[in-house]
Amino acid sequence: MLVRCTCRFSSRLASSLPCRPVYEHATRWRQAYSSASHAARAQLDRAIRQPLLERMPSSGSIATAINQPLVGAVRVQWPDGAASSFDYMWLRDHCQSSESMHHVTRQRLLDTASLSRDLAPRAIDASSEGLKITWNDMDAHTSFYPWQWLRRRSYSPSLHCSPTFDKHLWAANEMQQSPPIVDYASVMSGDEGLLDWLDKIHIYGFAFVQGVPVSPEATEQLIRRIAFIRETHYGGFWDFTADLAHGDTAYTNLALGAHTDTTYFTDPCGLQMFHLLSSRDTHEGGHSLLVDGFACAARLRADSPQLYKLLSELPIPSHASGDANALLRPLRPRPALEHDDEGQLISVRWNNDDRAPIGQGKSWQGLWTLDDGRRVSRVVAFYHAVQAWERIVRSKQAEYWTPLEPGKALIFDNLRVLHGRSSFTGQRRLCGAYVNGDDYRSKRFLLRRRLGKQIEDDAVF
Amino acid sequence: MLVRCTCRFSSRLASSLPCRPVYEHATRWRQAYSSASHAARAQLDRAIRQPLLERMPSSGSIATAINQPLVGAVRVQWPDGAASSFDYMWLRDHCQSSESMHHVTRQRLLDTASLSRDLAPRAIDASSEGLKITWNDMDAHTSFYPWQWLRRRSYSPSLHCSPTFDKHLWAANEMQQSPPIVDYASVMSGDEGLLDWLDKIHIYGFAFVQGVPVSPEATEQLIRRIAFIRETHYGGFWDFTADLAHGDTAYTNLALGAHTDTTYFTDPCGLQMFHLLSSRDTHEGGHSLLVDGFACAARLRADSPQLYKLLSELPIPSHASGDANALLRPLRPRPALEHDDEGQLISVRWNNDDRAPIGQGKSWQGLWTLDDGRRVSRVVAFYHAVQAWERIVRSKQAEYWTPLEPGKALIFDNLRVLHGRSSFTGQRRLCGAYVNGDDYRSKRFLLRRRLGKQIEDDAVF
């Protein structure tokens, strides 16, 4: 499994590995990990599993603080030698007192806009527990920041490594041998089983559930374990056969290449579930295809960094126009490969069929340097990128083919795993539904917190 | 009403006005318009209303085309002197034939990735109707592109001005005098009434519906005229009193400053409806506040361009953590002011209460130049921006206060209009719902097409 994140508090082995590795570093990291001794590996495992903050001593004066009125900030000196600067405004704005932040909702009650520009500490006190500031405002408001809370939110500089990258990027043969599977009974019976399912989806981008009663009702109950169903112009929970309903080729018996769904939404659907309700003898063909889009992206990045960059920058317009009652387009087109503010890939959005005319807008103007050094227009470079991307997506290494089976529901992360199918003849009854990505991530976060597991990005408020 | 978009085909008056004006040009445009003669104004109105393409002659050879094998493109010479270059790959990729594009769904059937790099026209033919290309592939596929279709999608260069900016940015006193109102009976009875409602929401960012039966059922039927209701962790259609349900201060009787809702979603809710079900004598206070976020943004841009830029770039993290069953954060934080690829403002996302700790991520690192030339950290600059923004949002000019009334439903565009309320005492029963922005825009597009009205961005496929 790929791991990510080494930080100032972690072991020597960990700190010899790249902090915030990009994909091309993943192999190096894996090699370092697999060549480490058993003891070093265990140490590394602990360092990764244990959240940064818990590695700080829980008592004793562990940091000192100095008021710096000339720069309008408080400087905190940490015991490991690092230092952070916190602007007065930031400190007051992030005050955790019950007058400043609602104790139930964790919503800010403080009116940030009305803070005085002359705001400054009247007194600061670095105790063993944290930093206490008494402010120079009318009512001498007092703020208290536990050291762990403060360190985790240090921004000048940021002392926090990106969340552990614990997604496992896979190749098809590996999934042929041991795809992620959970039991229906386990998912339905308790939090542990449900979290195991969600963790598998998080790690692999998909998972099967076996032993599902072959009915739409049971399938719907299963997906509702995660969250409510996302309604779209297709409706809510589906139960369909091939009839070109909703004016979309998905509702035919045609073969469909690997794609992600609903690229034409501002927020494409997060999870998708399929469950075959017909027995295998009612139709021929219609095998399902799954491709790990994050693994393909890592390969594209290694093979053709310039084309990867292009697919990370060019907003690709898309549309759904087949249904007389819907004409959908995202508020703003997004690139095929979208990254967060740290440059970490967060979503793949790729459906060549739903792509609208390209070339309009500033991002499409100008030239682009291909990986071989040639300069071409961005439109021409885009077609190079499409071909390089599809070559990877359609490779034997990437294409994981699997038959759907009654009783075995498939769920996948539509922002990571592309799906498709071979054409089929005969009758095929399939049911399924979408769940919002936001609600899926919410559920997993809450379950991990409830069950005392590490949470990737825990500094929520 | 502000208008936007002049293009090469429009009148002399129009072409003397700025193409793609930014907000600071709006006043200049309005002045030019209001100082124009009646005849010139009528001409301008026609030029703006009439879509670009319809202004091209519908018969006669209006363009010529030259194959340019050395650059791999076809050059089209338009009768007005403009010329466009279309790459072979682009042309083949955008082929409109029934083999290349599904005739019902308008989805691409062509496999772009498998196109040969040697693809080139065997013959090109510029007829009076359009451009015909016979390709050098095995089956000598023929593509045909009507001139109007082709011109509208010209990308090298782009010959299309941004869609008409027909939103009316308002000040409070104007809305006090004549807020946009439609009749319930009209909305419920036919397409014209429904479109009138949606157009008012589009133009003003909100509208009242009067004569609504005072029941949750009628209110729900009303909003379902637009689209299905967006379900969230709050549920679907609401009917609530102040009980801090769902762990959010919105469910209290506290005053709420102007904000947009659900900033913690990847795609915040597009439309929101409120309908008061209690008579006014059951409570005191609780007046509603509406603020035109786009007008405030225009003012901020004029007053403090650097702070405007900062709010357009800094991703602002947010969260909803009050409900034990939800912990919501967007997949990726977005800036308060988000723009499309042409630099046009498309959404305002602002809720200081739901803002999560700031400062993490690359966008927050480094210095920023304030409008007075001082260089400060981006975190400090952000607090300047918050104060400048809120000063505008809370100004008399911006704050439109209005009592809610039973029978008069309020709907607003949550990506543009901020809302709030004064505190209240007593019992207040309110119902309402969210609709997705994508589905609202879809409905309006389809209605305008059905009723033969101009559509802002008509080049869908």
Side-chain angles (χ1 to χ4, degrees):
Chain A
M1 190 178 304
L2 298 190
V3 279
R4 189 183 143 116
C5 176
T6 64
C7 65
R8 286 157 196 259
F9 281 82
S10 54
S11 69
R12 243 190 319 155
L13 171 61
S15 56
S16 71
L17 290 166
C19 189
R20 287 178 200 150
V22 282
Y23 286 104
E24 52 266 43
H25 291 154
T27 313
R28 191 142 58 89
W29 166 269
R30 243 184 320 202
Q31 283 163 352
Y33 183 82
S34 54
S35 65
S37 71
H38 183 75
R41 238 196 247 191
Q43 188 188 8
L44 181 56
D45 282 342
R46 269 197 308 280
I48 289 159
R49 270 201 302 271
Q50 200 180 5
L52 164 66
L53 300 177
E54 292 173 10
R55 270 169 266 144
M56 294 184 64
S58 60
S59 67
S61 182
I62 59 163
T64 55
I66 305 161
N67 190 9
Q68 298 185 308
L70 287 180
V71 288
V74 174
R75 184 182 165 84
V76 174
Q77 185 71 48
W78 305 102
D80 63 344
S84 306
S85 179
F86 295 95
D87 296 291
Y88 294 161
M89 285 292 271
W90 188 97
L91 285 165
R92 185 66 189 88
D93 182 42
H94 289 75
C95 174
Q96 303 289 299
S97 72
S98 59
E99 299 87 5
S100 304
M101 185 168 279
H102 196 285
H103 67 289
V104 174
T105 71
R106 312 303 297 176
Q107 287 170 294
R108 187 173 281 98
L109 296 172
L110 173 79
D111 179 21
T112 307
S114 69
L115 291 177
S116 163
R117 289 278 168 91
D118 299 326
L119 180 82
R122 184 176 293 173
I124 68 172
D125 175 27
S127 74
S128 61
E129 301 301 323
L131 174 66
K132 185 173 132 187
I133 299 182
T134 308
W135 296 98
N136 67 348
D137 53 6
M138 293 262 285
D139 54 354
H141 182 79
T142 300
S143 302
F144 180 74
Y145 314 90
W147 291 125
Q148 295 189 352
W149 184 95
L150 203 55
R151 165 124 190 167
R152 174 66 182 79
R153 286 152 188 82
S154 167
Y155 61 90
S156 178
S158 174
L159 297 177
H160 175 66
C161 284
S162 292
T164 305
F165 186 77
D166 54 0
K167 294 183 194 301
H168 179 94
L169 308 189
W170 47 262
N173 56 359
E174 192 186 349
M175 292 302 105
Q176 293 289 4
Q177 285 161 24
S178 55
I181 302 186
V182 294
D183 284 320
Y184 174 76
S186 159
V187 169
M188 298 305 287
S189 63
D191 282 354
E192 285 80 4
L194 177 55
L195 178 58
D196 181 36
W197 186 29
L198 298 186
D199 277 347
K200 283 194 165 59
I201 299 168
H202 175 78
I203 293 167
Y204 299 99
F206 78 100
F208 292 105
V209 185
Q210 63 191 4
V212 185
V214 185
S215 74
E217 294 76 18
T219 312
E220 184 168 348
Q221 280 172 10
L222 174 63
I223 197 162
R224 283 187 183 276
R225 284 286 285 157
I226 304 177
F228 60 88
I229 287 167
R230 171 161 171 181
E231 189 172 349
T232 71
H233 60 303
Y234 294 125
F237 187 87
W238 339 302
D239 180 357
F240 65 74
T241 48
D243 61 353
L244 194 59
H246 306 295
D248 193 292
T249 47
Y251 292 82
T252 64
N253 57 0
L254 299 173
L256 293 173
H259 65 280
T260 64
D261 263 19
T262 60
T263 55
Y264 42 76
F265 283 144
T266 298
D267 177 28
C269 297
L271 294 183
Q272 175 155 209
M273 180 178 273
F274 286 139
H275 188 201
L276 183 69
L277 297 179
S278 332
S279 63
R280 292 288 312 156
D281 54 13
T282 62
H283 59 284
E284 273 189 42
H287 282 213
S288 276
L289 168 64
L290 297 175
V291 173
D292 184 352
F294 278 24
C296 293
R299 217 173 123 193
L300 180 67
R301 191 172 199 164
D303 293 353
S304 314
Q306 283 299 320
L307 295 182
Y308 182 93
K309 192 158 179 281
L310 191 76
L311 288 185
S312 306
E313 291 186 10
L314 280 181
I316 300 179
S318 51
H319 73 103
S321 309
D323 189 315
N325 296 314
L327 198 149
L328 293 156
R329 292 181 291 184
L331 182 64
R332 180 184 177 174
R334 298 277 173 207
L337 306 175
E338 198 168 359
H339 298 75
D340 67 15
D341 204 26
E342 300 287 2
Q344 172 104 8
L345 182 66
I346 51 170
S347 80
V348 172
R349 191 190 276 233
W350 181 252
N351 187 332
N352 195 56
D353 300 355
D354 293 345
R355 182 159 49 78
I358 59 165
Q360 303 297 326
K362 283 181 191 150
S363 302
W364 286 88
Q365 304 307 310
L367 298 177
W368 193 261
T369 306
L370 296 179
D371 291 290
D372 61 11
R374 271 183 300 155
R375 300 267 289 167
V376 297
S377 77
R378 289 185 178 213
V379 167
V380 168
F382 171 74
Y383 290 107
H384 284 265
V386 170
Q387 299 198 332
W389 169 252
E390 286 285 6
R391 211 165 24 240
I392 294 170
V393 166
R394 297 176 191 185
S395 66
K396 265 217 157 66
Q397 200 182 335
E399 287 192 336
Y400 167 44
W401 285 98
T402 178
L404 290 179
E405 289 170 29
K408 196 168 151 191
L410 165 66
I411 196 161
F412 55 89
D413 178 347
N414 183 55
L415 301 180
R416 169 177 167 188
V417 167
L418 295 83
H419 68 286
R421 64 152 190 254
S422 55
S423 64
F424 61 93
T425 53
Q427 285 289 323
R428 192 169 97 137
R429 184 180 169 201
L430 204 66
C431 68
Y434 291 124
V435 161
N436 283 314
D438 290 348
D439 299 301
Y440 146 63
R441 288 181 289 113
S442 165
K443 186 70 167 193
R444 182 166 170 269
F445 184 101
L446 293 174
L447 283 175
R448 288 190 71 84
R449 188 165 68 180
R450 193 175 305 154
L451 297 175
K453 311 263 180 153
Q454 186 195 349
I455 292 164
E456 288 98 13
D457 186 6
D458 54 344
V460 180
F461 42 78
Chain B
M1 191 177 305
L2 299 190
V3 279
R4 187 182 144 117
C5 176
T6 65
C7 64
R8 286 156 197 260
F9 280 82
S10 54
S11 69
R12 245 189 319 154
L13 171 61
S15 56
S16 71
L17 290 165
C19 189
R20 289 180 198 150
V22 282
Y23 285 103
E24 51 266 43
H25 291 153
T27 313
R28 190 142 58 89
W29 166 269
R30 244 185 318 205
Q31 283 163 352
Y33 183 83
S34 54
S35 65
S37 71
H38 183 76
R41 237 195 248 192
Q43 189 188 6
L44 181 56
D45 282 343
R46 268 197 309 280
I48 289 160
R49 269 201 303 272
Q50 200 180 4
L52 163 66
L53 300 177
E54 292 173 11
R55 270 169 266 143
M56 293 184 65
S58 60
S59 67
S61 182
I62 59 163
T64 55
I66 306 162
N67 190 9
Q68 298 185 307
L70 288 180
V71 288
V74 174
R75 185 181 165 84
V76 173
Q77 184 70 49
W78 304 102
D80 63 344
S84 306
S85 179
F86 295 96
D87 296 291
Y88 294 162
M89 285 293 272
W90 188 97
L91 285 165
R92 186 66 190 87
D93 182 43
H94 290 76
C95 175
Q96 303 289 298
S97 72
S98 59
E99 298 87 5
S100 304
M101 185 169 278
H102 196 286
H103 67 290
V104 174
T105 71
R106 311 303 296 177
Q107 287 170 294
R108 187 173 281 98
L109 296 172
L110 173 79
D111 179 21
T112 307
S114 68
L115 291 177
S116 163
R117 289 277 167 92
D118 300 327
L119 179 83
R122 184 176 293 172
I124 68 172
D125 175 27
S127 74
S128 61
E129 301 301 322
L131 174 66
K132 185 173 131 186
I133 299 182
T134 308
W135 297 98
N136 66 348
D137 53 6
M138 294 262 285
D139 54 353
H141 182 79
T142 300
S143 302
F144 180 75
Y145 314 90
W147 291 126
Q148 296 189 353
W149 184 94
L150 203 55
R151 165 124 190 167
R152 174 66 181 79
R153 286 152 188 81
S154 168
Y155 61 90
S156 177
S158 174
L159 297 176
H160 175 65
C161 285
S162 292
T164 305
F165 186 79
D166 53 0
K167 294 183 194 300
H168 178 94
L169 308 189
W170 47 263
N173 57 358
E174 193 186 348
M175 292 302 105
Q176 293 289 3
Q177 285 160 25
S178 55
I181 302 186
V182 294
D183 284 320
Y184 174 76
S186 160
V187 169
M188 298 304 287
S189 63
D191 282 354
E192 285 80 3
L194 177 55
L195 179 58
D196 181 36
W197 185 29
L198 298 187
D199 277 348
K200 283 194 164 61
I201 299 169
H202 175 78
I203 293 167
Y204 300 99
F206 78 100
F208 292 104
V209 185
Q210 63 190 4
V212 185
V214 185
S215 74
E217 295 76 17
T219 312
E220 184 168 348
Q221 279 172 11
L222 174 63
I223 197 162
R224 283 187 183 277
R225 284 286 285 158
I226 304 177
F228 60 88
I229 287 167
R230 172 161 172 181
E231 189 172 349
T232 71
H233 60 303
Y234 294 125
F237 187 87
W238 338 303
D239 180 356
F240 65 75
T241 48
D243 61 354
L244 194 59
H246 306 295
D248 193 293
T249 46
Y251 292 82
T252 64
N253 57 0
L254 299 172
L256 293 174
H259 65 281
T260 64
D261 263 20
T262 61
T263 55
Y264 43 76
F265 283 144
T266 298
D267 177 28
C269 296
L271 295 183
Q272 175 155 210
M273 180 178 272
F274 286 139
H275 187 201
L276 183 69
L277 298 179
S278 332
S279 62
R280 292 288 311 157
D281 54 14
T282 62
H283 59 284
E284 273 189 42
H287 281 213
S288 276
L289 168 65
L290 297 175
V291 173
D292 184 352
F294 278 25
C296 293
R299 217 174 123 194
L300 180 67
R301 191 172 198 162
D303 293 353
S304 314
Q306 282 300 319
L307 295 182
Y308 182 93
K309 193 157 179 279
L310 191 76
L311 289 185
S312 307
E313 291 186 10
L314 280 181
I316 300 179
S318 51
H319 73 103
S321 309
D323 189 314
N325 296 313
L327 197 149
L328 292 156
R329 292 181 291 184
L331 182 63
R332 180 185 177 173
R334 298 277 172 207
L337 306 174
E338 199 168 359
H339 298 75
D340 67 15
D341 204 26
E342 300 287 2
Q344 171 105 9
L345 182 66
I346 51 171
S347 80
V348 172
R349 192 189 275 234
W350 182 252
N351 187 332
N352 195 56
D353 300 355
D354 293 345
R355 182 159 50 77
I358 60 165
Q360 304 297 326
K362 283 182 190 149
S363 302
W364 286 88
Q365 304 307 310
L367 298 177
W368 193 261
T369 306
L370 296 179
D371 291 290
D372 60 11
R374 270 182 301 155
R375 301 267 288 167
V376 297
S377 77
R378 289 186 179 213
V379 167
V380 167
F382 171 74
Y383 290 107
H384 283 265
V386 170
Q387 299 198 332
W389 169 252
E390 287 285 6
R391 210 162 29 238
I392 294 170
V393 167
R394 297 176 191 185
S395 66
K396 265 217 157 66
Q397 200 181 336
E399 288 192 337
Y400 167 44
W401 285 97
T402 178
L404 290 179
E405 289 170 29
K408 196 168 152 192
L410 165 65
I411 195 162
F412 55 89
D413 178 347
N414 183 55
L415 301 181
R416 170 177 167 188
V417 168
L418 294 82
H419 68 286
R421 63 152 190 254
S422 55
S423 64
F424 61 92
T425 54
Q427 285 289 323
R428 192 168 96 137
R429 183 179 169 201
L430 204 67
C431 68
Y434 291 124
V435 161
N436 284 313
D438 290 348
D439 299 302
Y440 146 64
R441 288 180 289 113
S442 165
K443 186 69 167 194
R444 181 165 171 269
F445 184 101
L446 292 174
L447 283 175
R448 288 190 71 84
R449 188 165 69 181
R450 193 176 305 154
L451 297 175
K453 310 263 180 152
Q454 187 195 348
I455 292 165
E456 289 98 11
D457 185 6
D458 55 345
V460 180
F461 42 78

